């Protein structure tokens, strides 16, 4: 770790004072801090990028305990990140090389996000590629008895 990075990172830690999020007020404060960091543009310095990751983890921890909600789809995550950054489809297209029509189709639910575009979007938004990958829906296993009963009624 270079001295310049360490100094910049230490300064950010003193400015932001990251700590566990336990209340709605603290949650809103961390959201404002994240928005401030994200407003700096797509290419954050390493120190800011690492602080953004820490703040995001703190929010995720609070949300997982206080706001149990369903996972967002990749398209919903893209819409959320676009809105949070105040970026247009055209701006993201220019910065990532993804055609604007593809971004529009993803947001409209007409197409999924390709693996190549997952990597580009993750880099642009400084997030884990996992946020753009849909979890397979878990289907309860079909028991042989249920299947035979259904087949007998329908066949």
């Amino acid at each position: 770790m270079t001295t310049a990075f360490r100094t910049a990172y230490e300064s950010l830690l003193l400015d932001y004072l990251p700590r566990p999020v336990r209340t709605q007020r603290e949650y809103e404060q961390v959201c404002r801090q994240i928005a401030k960091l994200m407003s700096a543009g797509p290419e954050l310095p390493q120190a800011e990028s690492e602080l953004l990751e820490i703040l995001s983890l703190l929010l995720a921890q609070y949300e997982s305990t206080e706001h149990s909600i369903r996972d967002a789809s990749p398209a919903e995550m893209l819409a959320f990140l676009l809105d949070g950054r105040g970026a247009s489809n055209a701006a993201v297209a220019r910065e990532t090389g993804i055609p604007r029509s593809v971004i529009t189709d993803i947001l409209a639910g007409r197409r999924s996000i390709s693996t190549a575009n997952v990597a580009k979007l993750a880099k642009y938004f400084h997030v884990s590629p996992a946020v753009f990958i849909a979890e397979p829906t878990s289907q309860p296993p079909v028991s042989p008895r249920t299947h035979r009963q259904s087949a007998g009624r329908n066949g």
Side-chain angles (χ1 to χ4, degrees), residues 13-154:
L13 289 176
L14 290 174
D15 288 344
Y16 283 83
L17 296 173
R19 57 180 355 116
V21 178
R22 295 188 178 99
T23 66
Q24 183 65 30
R25 183 173 175 226
E26 291 170 344
Y27 175 82
E28 291 167 2
Q29 180 182 5
V30 173
C31 286
R32 285 191 298 275
Q33 291 173 333
I34 287 174
K36 181 179 174 185
L37 284 168
M38 289 180 71
S39 70
E43 294 296 323
L44 290 177
Q46 184 180 2
E48 283 85 349
S49 182
E50 289 193 11
L51 177 61
L52 181 61
E53 186 176 349
I54 288 171
L55 293 174
S56 297
L57 289 171
L58 292 172
L59 276 189
Q61 181 182 21
Y62 175 79
E63 289 172 344
S64 71
T65 59
E66 298 297 321
H67 299 283
S68 181
I69 56 173
R70 67 170 179 81
D71 289 337
S73 71
E76 289 169 327
M77 276 307 293
L78 177 58
F80 172 78
L81 291 167
L82 282 166
D83 185 53
R85 181 166 282 183
S88 67
N89 296 6
V92 174
R94 272 192 308 276
E95 295 290 326
T96 62
I98 300 170
R100 189 175 74 188
S101 61
V102 170
I103 294 170
T104 301
D105 286 348
I106 291 167
L107 292 170
R110 291 187 291 264
R111 76 180 323 158
S112 59
I113 304 175
S114 70
T115 305
N117 289 341
V118 163
K120 292 174 184 178
L121 291 168
K123 182 177 179 184
Y124 176 80
F125 287 107
H126 304 285
V127 296
S128 166
V131 304
F132 296 115
I133 299 171
E135 291 288 323
T137 56
S138 60
Q139 297 288 333
V142 177
S143 71
R145 180 181 172 150
T146 304
H147 180 68
R148 277 194 303 265
Q149 289 172 346
S150 298
R153 277 188 240 133
N154 294 333

